[in-house]
Amino acid sequence: MAKTTTQYVCTECGWTGGKWFGRCPECGQWGTIEEFHEARVGAGGGLSSSGGSHTAPAPPTTSLARPITRVGTDQVKRIPTGFEEFDRVLGGGIVPGSVILLAGEPGIGKSTLLLETAGRVANRSGRGGKVLYISGEESQAQVRMRASRVGALKDSLLLASTTDLATVLGLIEREKPALAIVDSAQTIVSNQVDGISGGSTQVREVAISLIDMAKSHDIPILLVGHVTKDGSIAGPRTLEHLVDVVCQFEGDSQTALRLLRAVKNRFGPTDEVGCFDMGEQGIEEVSDPTGLFLSTTGQEVEGTCVTFTLDGHRSLPIEIQALVTSSVLPTPRRNTNGIDANRLAMLAAVLYRHGRVNLLTRDLYVSTIAGGLAKEPGCDLAIVAALASAAKSRPILRTTCAMGEISLTGQVRPVPQLNHRLQEAARLGFTRALVPPDRHSRGRKPIQGLEVVEVTYLAEALEALGLV
């Protein structure tokens, strides 16, 4: 019979020990040590809390050690999700036997994305199209209503509603689906260990059991994870270490844009990003998001400038809008949206010192379009150009873009993958680009239809834009 021993685990770094500490001795965080009851095998043998035996090792069959050069990977065939954007983030699709953790804020669309994925995989899967969707948060009728709205009603899509871990494992083992989805890790409870639903002990036990099921039966599992108020994944830090892929589903609740990023990926890159649009009929992928962050007006308006940022392997245009007004307050306002407020304050000081444009006593409002983020240092030149344009009431040509980081000395510094950004600017119809010189300037091939103007200092950039 299994005996239970008490250990203590850090929810931040995964440290375990037999004594409680107010401060974790491994990562130094306060208040992260929680009690963890682990079932151990007694003298008569038995199973651990994760369902695995701790007796004699298994005989070497398919796990026989072989030279790495003789291990083939051609038998691994990825399962397409039905979303090209999702497949890009995963590295080409879902690897059989992998466990993927999808985390995001409440109401961001995690369940909707996975339900649509389940419906599309059920249509094209090579195992008869059987997909198992297990919900611990909603009833079968509630999931069915959402499936009807997003068009995921398939006979091969099996629904189950339970919060018992043993039932979940039994369903997966009996049905042997091409894909299993568990929504969510924080709602499933194991009767073999102590702890409340969503606690560190339960989340860890659920993760270990599902991973063991996925590896032993070669069934991929998509696991939904909740996040805390500071944006980190709820539960022990070891949850992220145990799974194969960790994806973050991000977005602003006030906009329809959703971004999917891979934070950890054992089978592909972690610098890819997938773009989705949340609509009334569910989630739709956006294969070309270049026009999402640009205004549709064709007129030249003062206080605007376009830059290009890197998000994974994509170069996205971001339109910066600035408004400069007289301040009646002792401390002028610095309001931002999509831009770092501290960096705006620094750029205003640099613009005054090296650009001779005094904005220190003015109210500054700087924003992006459609919830885009311009927090990359390469957006500095466009932010300063938009501020100077608003202050002097002189519009910048809409066919002009600016890219470059600005230092405290007023120097315009290079940005990574500048040539990739310039090619995207030319594709979108921009005819002039202000960029800093870099080591590839001499060997850079001219881009048809795009005039590249190199500027070394902020004063040169303002003069090239006609803002002096």
Side-chain angles (χ1 to χ4, degrees):
M1 185 175 178
K3 298 180 179 179
T4 302
T5 60
T6 301
Q7 288 190 342
Y8 297 90
V9 61
C10 176
T11 60
E12 186 68 23
C13 67
W15 172 88
T16 57
K19 183 180 179 181
W20 183 87
F21 293 93
R23 181 181 183 183
C24 176
E26 183 70 22
C27 64
Q29 295 293 325
W30 289 92
T32 58
I33 305 297
E34 295 185 2
E35 188 174 337
F36 173 70
H37 296 278
E38 184 176 10
R40 295 185 179 272
V41 182
L47 296 179
S48 69
S49 61
S50 59
S53 176
H54 291 278
T55 57
T61 53
T62 57
S63 61
L64 181 65
R66 290 180 293 172
I68 190 172
T69 55
R70 297 183 183 179
V71 178
T73 58
D74 52 348
Q75 71 272 17
V76 178
K77 185 178 180 181
R78 293 177 181 258
I79 302 173
T81 62
F83 290 103
E84 293 183 1
E85 295 294 300
F86 203 170
D87 291 339
R88 177 187 291 111
V89 174
L90 296 178
I94 302 174
V95 176
S98 63
V99 178
I100 302 171
L101 177 64
L102 179 65
E105 296 181 357
I108 204 67
K110 304 182 298 296
S111 300
T112 303
L113 174 63
L114 293 187
L115 186 58
E116 287 196 51
T117 300
R120 299 190 181 196
V121 173
N123 261 347
R124 60 180 69 185
S125 177
R127 297 187 185 180
K130 186 185 293 185
V131 176
L132 178 60
Y133 189 100
I134 302 174
S135 176
E137 301 178 345
E138 300 173 285
S139 65
Q140 291 178 324
Q142 291 173 328
V143 177
R144 202 271 185 195
M145 291 174 57
R146 184 153 40 86
S148 176
R149 176 173 59 87
V150 302
L153 293 178
K154 310 294 178 184
D155 292 335
S156 54
L157 176 56
L158 309 180
L159 293 181
S161 178
T162 181
T163 58
D164 181 59
L165 177 60
T167 305
V168 171
L169 298 176
L171 285 171
I172 297 176
E173 186 174 9
R174 184 175 69 249
E175 299 294 342
K176 291 182 173 57
L179 174 66
I181 299 175
V182 180
D183 185 8
S184 62
Q186 282 77 16
T187 58
I188 307 300
V189 179
S190 172
N191 295 326
Q192 300 299 320
V193 296
D194 298 332
I196 62 174
S197 174
S200 300
T201 305
Q202 289 289 347
V203 171
R204 181 180 178 181
E205 177 68 16
V206 169
I208 293 175
S209 301
L210 290 176
I211 291 172
D212 181 63
M213 175 63 67
K215 304 302 180 185
S216 60
H217 292 76
D218 203 28
I219 298 175
I221 297 178
L222 286 173
L223 190 60
V224 177
H226 297 168
V227 297
T228 59
K229 58 183 179 181
D230 60 351
S232 59
I233 299 176
R237 195 70 173 181
T238 51
L239 175 63
E240 301 176 49
H241 295 293
L242 292 173
V243 299
D244 300 306
V245 182
V246 179
C247 293
Q248 286 277 4
F249 203 40
E250 307 170 352
D252 189 351
S253 58
Q254 299 179 357
T255 63
L257 179 65
R258 300 291 185 268
L259 298 178
L260 181 66
R261 306 176 190 272
V263 180
K264 171 190 175 182
N265 193 351
R266 290 174 178 167
F267 315 113
T270 57
D271 56 355
E272 285 289 358
V273 59
C275 297
F276 297 86
D277 183 72
M278 177 70 78
E280 296 181 357
Q281 304 300 323
I283 291 181
E284 298 180 359
E285 57 183 344
V286 182
S287 57
D288 188 9
T290 53
L292 294 177
F293 309 111
L294 297 175
S295 59
T296 57
T297 177
Q299 300 179 352
E300 296 175 356
V301 183
E302 60 188 41
T304 62
C305 186
V306 177
T307 187
F308 283 81
T309 64
L310 281 180
D311 211 335
H313 290 172
R314 279 178 167 159
S315 180
L316 300 177
I318 302 290
E319 180 174 327
I320 309 294
Q321 295 185 343
L323 177 64
V324 178
T325 62
S326 300
S327 179
V328 295
L329 301 175
T331 303
R333 290 193 179 99
R334 300 288 185 266
N335 289 355
T336 62
N337 182 24
I339 297 170
D340 187 9
N342 294 328
R343 196 157 191 89
L344 173 62
M346 184 197 74
L347 293 176
V350 175
L351 185 60
Y352 168 68
R353 177 64 178 82
H354 301 283
R356 305 303 179 187
V357 180
N358 188 4
L359 301 177
L360 301 181
T361 59
R362 313 282 290 276
D363 288 338
L364 305 182
Y365 304 88
V366 183
S367 177
T368 57
I369 296 292
L373 296 178
K375 297 184 179 181
E376 181 189 355
C379 302
D380 289 351
L381 187 57
I383 296 175
V384 169
L387 288 171
S389 172
K392 294 181 175 292
S393 301
R394 299 178 188 174
I396 300 174
L397 295 177
R398 293 196 58 81
T399 55
T400 299
C401 60
M403 292 161 277
E405 176 185 358
I406 297 180
S407 65
L408 292 177
T409 60
Q411 181 183 6
V412 184
R413 298 180 53 79
V415 296
Q417 300 188 32
L418 178 59
N419 192 57
H420 181 45
R421 306 179 195 227
L422 293 175
Q423 291 178 351
E424 184 67 16
R427 187 182 74 85
L428 295 179
F430 287 86
T431 59
R432 194 164 182 249
L434 271 66
V435 300
D438 58 7
R439 58 179 180 176
H440 303 294
S441 298
R442 294 184 179 180
R444 183 185 296 122
K445 297 180 180 179
I447 301 177
Q448 184 178 2
L450 181 64
E451 177 190 2
V452 179
V453 180
E454 294 185 351
V455 291
T456 306
Y457 292 96
L458 175 60
E460 299 178 17
L462 296 178
E463 183 178 357
L465 293 171
L467 300 176
V468 176

